[in-house]
Amino acid sequence: MILLLGDIHGNFNFLKHQIYSKQITDCTIIQVGDFGIGFSYKENDEQTLKNLNDFLKDVTVTLLAIRGNHDSPSFFNGDYDFSHLKLLPDYTTLNLEGYKFLFIGGAI
């Protein structure tokens, strides 16, 4: 199953709550921009991403995030590729469940 998620602007606790309370498991979530990363100290953001990845791993959900205009482009260069959380560089293509996706970030 593929789910689409709009702008969360860094509200990762809300995201976790929704996944947990709705018992979402074994799927891919495509977050379509304005993920909300890159506006804190880099070390804090990196720890936040690691914590989110650990949560996603526990519920067997993969989250693919696309850069939005409320994201720092430096986080979407391919360096942040965790087991269950992937910050996708612009123009990434992936085949998911028989469909081909092209991921292009938003304005900067």
Side-chain angles (χ1 to χ4, degrees), residues 43-102:
E43 296 79 19
N44 291 349
D45 282 337
E46 289 173 345
Q47 188 60 51
T48 296
L49 294 173
K50 288 176 186 173
N51 291 342
L52 180 57
N53 182 72
D54 290 344
F55 170 81
L56 295 167
K57 184 177 180 180
D58 287 343
V59 294
T60 61
V61 169
T62 298
L63 177 63
L64 308 174
I66 306 166
R67 177 189 55 78
N69 65 317
H70 290 110
D71 293 304
S72 173
S74 66
F75 279 85
F76 293 83
N77 59 11
D79 290 343
Y80 295 93
D81 183 16
F82 300 94
S83 63
H84 287 74
L85 172 61
K86 300 177 186 318
L87 305 184
L88 301 175
D90 289 353
Y91 305 105
T92 295
T93 58
L94 294 174
N95 289 307
L96 303 169
E97 296 188 21
Y99 295 96
K100 188 170 188 175
F101 289 84
L102 171 62

Side-chain angles (χ1 to χ4, degrees), residues 29-49:
I29 298 175
I30 299 173
Q31 200 284 324
V32 295
D34 290 349
F35 192 55
I37 200 74
F39 298 100
S40 181
Y41 292 106
K42 184 176 181 179
E43 296 79 19
N44 291 349
D45 282 337
E46 289 173 345
Q47 188 60 51
T48 296
L49 294 173

